[in-house]
Amino acid sequence: MFPSTCAVCVSLLLPAAVLAQYNLVKEYSGETFFDGWSFYGNRDNLTNGNVNFLDDTDAFHNNLAFVNDAGNAIMKVDNSSTLKFNQNRNSIRISSSDQFTVGSVWVADILHVPYGCSVWGAFWSSAPAWPLGGEIDTFEAVNQDARGHMGLHTNPGCTHSSNAVQSSTLINSTDCSIQANSNQGCIITNPDPASYGEAFAKAGGGVYVTEFAIDGISIWFFNRTDLPSSLQGNVSSIDTSTLGIPVANWPADDCSVNEFFQPQELVFDITLCGDYAGAASVFYQTCTGVCYNDWVLGDPSNYDTAYFEVSYVRVYGQPGELTVIQPSGGPRSAEVRSFGTLMLALGSLFAMFWTL
Ligand SMILES: *[C@@H]1O[C@H](CO)[C@@H](O)[C@H](O)[C@H]1NC(C)=O
Ligand SMILES: *[C@@H]1O[C@H](CO)[C@@H](O)[C@H](O)[C@H]1NC(C)=O
Ligand SMILES: *[C@@H]1O[C@H](CO)[C@@H](O)[C@H](O)[C@H]1NC(C)=O
Ligand SMILES: *[C@@H]1O[C@H](CO)[C@@H](O)[C@H](O)[C@H]1NC(C)=O
Ligand SMILES: *[C@@H]1O[C@H](CO)[C@@H](O)[C@H](O)[C@H]1NC(C)=O
């Protein structure tokens, strides 16, 4: 006879359920969208693209980063300057100052993604010590690709599991190691024909949900017409178990999230040509000419569609967990400013007493 407490024994043998409920911890939107991001402020020495990623001052001054009349954040490539040989085109790369741990979900509502020959745009995340700590590409596409794709890049040992529960059957590669296939990553293509380019923009864009969980990494994509009510409006919490099957899923069984991933900073960037969009084997799949000479140096109107328009990025964390890491490095610029203003005020007060 079994003791009556054995119901407990059975439940102890079952793996602990992973929470799918997350609460809002951070929102980037509207007039304050660009608060809490670092602008790269250097030429693209990361992927060898033909761009200068502007610092915040130049980006705002040149109107390559701004909030439009609809309240959406625009990040764009310079489409007004004619360049001379050897010059790079100005563009944007921003990364979040905060990092988000395992047990986070980020949701991005995007109306327009950059596209066109030579263009390589992405919304992604990585650990600062990349490749240690991994990279999660939520949206990436180049040139005149038909669709966007998703992927992971890690140290060797992480692969896309055959146990993945996902809706996309377009699996391009399964080894996530940066050392495999020239750092192709483990790539899954978004089957939605409106996941990139003009089709994405015409469909009103869509919402990407990226879940960074201990039992695996998952990405959902919903186009505007298919957006579930649980993602509409100013949502203060989300439950990923209600979102249905993700479009891409990398379960932890073949890629231990704890082993290969560390807290992630979010990144938007648009580069031109470079290691991926400009690689001959990739470029000539959908474009003609010479990437730098004919496109970057060509008519600036080549870049009229090379911009992100983002309604918001929201980050959610598991309740009761510290999921937002603010790396040390002193107070944020806004706090520095108000501290400075306080000192000035105190200074003038002091000067007033001095002269009295
Ligand atoms: C890129 O250039 C910046 C500024 O010169 C430098 O600090 C950084 O280490 C460089 N990064 C790489 C990967 O070369
Ligand atoms: C991935 O596979 C799809 C379907 O076979 C193909 O259309 C696409 O070009 C591939 N993408 C990449 C990045 O290799
Ligand atoms: C939007 O998503 C739905 C469901 O995945 C799909 O049937 C439809 O074709 C998509 N619409 C566009 C414009 O791609
Ligand atoms: C959404 O709600 C959060 C608090 O739950 C608030 O901080 C934020 O400003 C709201 N955003 C909008 C666009 O109303
Ligand atoms: C640049 O592109 C924007 C759309 O992104 C467009 O409104 C503008 O007319 C284009 N041309 C110039 C010279 O800015």
Side-chain angles (χ1 to χ4, degrees), residues 13-335:
L13 293 175
L14 294 170
V18 174
L19 283 178
Q21 179 83 42
Y22 300 83
N23 294 337
L24 186 69
V25 291
K26 185 93 197 173
E27 179 175 71
Y28 305 91
S29 72
E31 289 303 325
T32 59
F33 180 94
F34 290 107
D35 292 358
W37 301 87
S38 311
F39 286 69
Y40 191 64
N42 198 60
R43 73 181 172 82
D44 177 7
N45 59 356
L46 305 168
T47 55
N48 302 305
N50 298 114
V51 298
N52 298 315
F53 293 124
L54 299 185
D55 63 21
D56 52 355
T57 306
D58 288 341
F60 296 132
H61 180 75
N62 289 293
N63 278 326
L64 298 191
F66 60 95
V67 176
N68 70 8
D69 292 342
N72 300 324
I74 303 286
M75 291 163 264
K76 68 193 287 275
V77 174
D78 173 359
N79 66 334
S80 60
S81 306
T82 300
L83 304 184
K84 295 194 188 82
F85 190 75
N86 274 337
Q87 287 184 321
N88 287 329
R89 198 165 277 285
N90 290 338
S91 185
I92 300 294
R93 182 189 197 277
I94 60 171
S95 53
S96 66
S97 311
D98 288 348
Q99 297 166 15
F100 305 101
T101 69
V102 175
S104 298
V105 169
W106 38 97
V107 181
D109 185 322
I110 306 179
L111 292 110
H112 191 282
V113 291
Y115 64 91
C117 284
S118 75
V119 175
W120 173 8
F123 170 58
W124 53 291
S125 72
S126 84
W130 189 97
L132 183 69
E135 167 183 337
I136 305 169
D137 299 334
T138 297
F139 161 80
E140 182 176 42
V142 293
N143 301 319
Q144 305 204 80
D145 277 354
R147 295 173 164 88
H149 62 253
M150 302 151 275
L152 306 182
H153 298 263
T154 64
N155 272 332
C158 160
T159 60
H160 181 250
S161 165
S162 55
N163 297 326
V165 178
Q166 63 178 43
S167 61
S168 178
T169 56
L170 305 174
I171 298 170
N172 294 85
S173 49
T174 55
D175 193 341
C176 311
S177 167
I178 59 153
Q179 290 171 20
N181 312 315
S182 315
N183 187 23
Q184 185 185 6
C186 42
I187 301 295
I188 294 157
T189 292
N190 190 335
D192 193 317
S195 58
Y196 181 55
E198 191 181 4
F200 178 86
K202 277 196 165 152
V207 175
Y208 277 99
V209 179
T210 306
E211 183 178 43
F212 180 34
I214 191 72
D215 61 345
I217 293 169
S218 304
I219 297 174
W220 287 260
F221 173 71
F222 302 98
N223 64 37
R224 199 62 60 192
T225 45
D226 209 32
L227 196 59
S229 57
S230 60
L231 289 176
Q232 291 176 24
N234 192 3
V235 176
S236 61
S237 70
I238 66 167
D239 181 349
T240 52
S241 70
T242 67
L243 297 178
I245 294 175
V247 64
N249 169 236
W250 295 266
D253 60 354
D254 280 348
C255 181
S256 163
V257 175
N258 256 351
E259 183 182 345
F260 290 99
F261 287 87
Q262 288 176 2
Q264 301 278 300
E265 49 188 41
L266 309 183
V267 184
F268 282 96
D269 81 289
I270 316 171
T271 191
L272 304 176
C273 305
D275 295 338
Y276 180 36
S281 60
V282 174
F283 184 73
Y284 292 115
Q285 280 178 18
T286 58
C287 295
T288 58
V290 177
C291 195
Y292 175 70
N293 299 46
D294 295 320
W295 296 94
V296 180
L297 296 184
D299 194 321
S301 70
N302 288 339
Y303 299 103
D304 285 359
T305 58
Y307 66 94
F308 277 106
E309 181 174 1
V310 180
S311 169
Y312 66 78
V313 175
R314 293 185 185 137
V315 186
Y316 299 81
Q318 285 197 336
E321 303 287 330
L322 186 66
T323 58
V324 184
I325 295 180
Q326 298 169 326
S328 57
R332 302 243 192 94
S333 52
E335 287 155 4

